Amino acid sequence: MLPLNAKNLSSLPDGLPTPAYDRGALRTGIVHFGVGGFHRAHEAMYLDRLMNAGAALDWAICGVGVMPADRRMQEVLDAQDGLYTLVVKAPDGTLEPRVIGSIREYLFAPDDPEAVIEKMASPAVRIVSLTVTEGGYNINAVTGDFLADDPGVRHDLDPGNAPRTTFGLITAALARRRERGLAPFTIMSCDNIQGNGHVARRSFVAFATLLDPGLGAWVQEHVAFPNSMVDRITPVTTDDDRDEVRRRFGVDDAWPVVCEPFAQWALEDRFPLGRPPFEDAGVQVVPDVEPYELMKLRLLNASHQALCYFGYLAGYRLVHDVAQDRLFADFLLAYMYTEATPTLAPVPGIDLDEYRHQLIDRFSNARVKDTVARLCAESSDRIPKWLLPVIRHNLDTGGEILRATAVVASWARYAEGVDEQGRPIEVVDRLRDTLVDRARRSREDPLAFISDRDLFGDLVDNERFVSAYRSVLASLHTRGARATLEDLSTAA
């Protein structure tokens, strides 16, 4: 069994495509924070596609890890010379593997923050991209204000401290380029947030202003923050995935990536220092990302939330099993048709009816083996950004809210931390303790969960929302998830 690394590339089996370009000739043009499965199935894949066509060879990626958990990624990518196997899994069982070579190097910031800062300060780096999760921008979900009291932020604002956060590291590099008379790099968010470029701008300008008002003004005026919409279902890599890569393709890859065939990226064309020719790799480079962005957030992402809590409570653990259950699929389609779609403007080049049904097909892909638990994680960062805007829009316009409100109620029931069979649920969320406490108090005080104004704003004051929420939560407590969905399927 051959370990995956640069030395062994030419000896890998013929059925496993490898980079057709000279990796030794690559030059770093992008620094990326948050090298996980999604980045490697998406941005890094698109760049590898361009490189195989002989383009973008000066746009290789330097990955950066900031969190302690990123140590493992550093160890794997260092041992594998940045290489990994991407396995696309089609619903019919077809596997399409490829070794991706677009990540040229990886830096673990806690070991050497200076090396990370200096890398971004290099004139060769023209883009810094981010997949740091929905919560990684340190923004209050209701007010949109930057959370300056975050312990990591406070540390990085103290003079003389070596930066620990993404904000501190990137802002230090921008300051260094400013001092050297270099134009700033573009900051490209690839996270699932409405107006992700606008959110990134707000966060980095706020941090830079706290550090140095003059620097904050310079970032505001000179740094570009393009918006983007990204889409590809990419589950967490399992030991079964590693075993399958060894067995089927004859290579020992410590951290392969599996994903669905579908991939989409709509990207605003705002790159003062240039960019790779992404459009040649299938990226939709557009003047306005918002229609694509809202389509994806309110149909795909919010539907994932509509699926996961009800599904978990009903006993499902794999996403495809939930989506293949007609009761759940019909609930998702009804939410998309009657509540989400009315909040959307027309999306250029997209048939929304086809897109909605395509989502059910994508969720039903049994080969991907995405877990319900993954979708349930970090809900406090997801629900306020993906689902609550649908509820607020429809409250303002007199539209339907029952199914979206039911998703909030299912989250509250899930957050109690015990399923319908009395088994413990591992609630994974940065606000876990607060959420579990409020959810459990909902048995006596039905509004306890939604009274958290930092998450829900003033929705608790809206009589129509509260009435629908109370009704669904009571049904979940007394009759369970499946019976509640059956009732919702007959509701107007």
Side-chain angles (χ1 to χ4, degrees), residues 26 60 67 75 120 155 158 227 262 295 301 317 329 391 446-447 455 463:
L26 295 180
M67 308 299 291
E75 294 169 348
M120 290 185 285
H155 171 274
D158 284 344
N227 289 300
F262 183 91
M295 174 191 73
N301 293 115
R317 296 298 178 264
I391 294 174
L447 304 187
L455 289 178
E463 184 177 345

Side-chain angles (χ1 to χ4, degrees), residues 415-417 427 431-441 449:
E416 291 179 19
V427 178
L431 302 179
R432 179 195 180 281
D433 293 344
T434 298
L435 293 172
V436 171
D437 175 66
R438 285 182 173 273
R440 290 177 176 174
R441 286 196 284 117
F449 192 75

Side-chain angles (χ1 to χ4, degrees), residues 24 41 45 54 61 72 116 125 163 183 199 204 244 250 254 258 268 288 295 315 323 327 332 367 377 393 450 475 490:
M45 177 278 297
I61 298 166
R72 179 59 181 154
V116 174
V125 170
V199 172
F204 281 97
E244 186 170 47
V258 300
E268 183 182 11
D288 183 10
M295 174 191 73
L327 177 65
L332 295 184
R367 292 294 301 171
H393 182 281
I450 59 172
S475 178
T490 62

Side-chain angles (χ1 to χ4, degrees), residues 331-491:
F331 173 71
L332 295 184
L333 284 170
Y335 157 75
M336 288 191 277
Y337 272 101
T338 64
E339 300 183 26
T341 302
T343 73
L344 303 177
V347 186
I350 302 292
D351 180 329
L352 287 180
D353 186 57
E354 180 182 339
Y355 182 82
R356 288 184 291 254
H357 285 88
Q358 183 184 49
L359 288 179
I360 302 298
D361 291 341
R362 291 170 62 192
F363 297 164
S364 300
N365 185 343
R367 292 294 301 171
V368 173
K369 294 185 179 179
D370 201 3
T371 65
V372 178
R374 181 184 79 87
L375 305 187
C376 292
E378 305 300 343
S379 303
S380 65
D381 288 331
R382 296 175 171 184
I383 291 285
K385 298 177 177 69
W386 301 344
L387 188 76
L388 298 190
V390 172
I391 294 174
R392 291 195 174 94
H393 182 281
N394 288 331
L395 286 172
D396 290 342
T397 61
E400 292 192 34
I401 64 164
L402 179 59
R403 293 167 185 83
T405 302
V407 178
V408 177
S410 71
W411 176 28
R413 172 62 187 87
Y414 173 90
E416 291 179 19
V418 180
D419 71 11
E420 293 177 359
Q421 289 72 45
R423 296 171 299 205
I425 295 173
E426 182 184 2
V427 178
V428 177
D429 198 287
R430 63 186 177 85
L431 302 179
R432 179 195 180 281
D433 293 344
T434 298
L435 293 172
V436 171
D437 175 66
R438 285 182 173 273
R440 290 177 176 174
R441 286 196 284 117
S442 294
R443 295 275 178 168
E444 290 73 40
D445 174 9
L447 304 187
F449 192 75
I450 59 172
S451 294
D452 187 338
R453 293 180 183 270
D454 285 338
L455 289 178
F456 297 99
D458 61 358
L459 283 176
V460 72
D461 301 325
N462 186 284
E463 184 177 345
R464 189 154 74 100
F465 171 76
V466 167
S467 175
Y469 175 81
R470 278 180 178 270
S471 175
V472 177
L473 186 63
S475 178
L476 286 167
H477 283 151
T478 58
R479 305 181 64 233
R482 192 166 196 95
T484 299
L485 280 184
E486 289 170 351
D487 289 344
L488 290 169
S489 70
T490 62

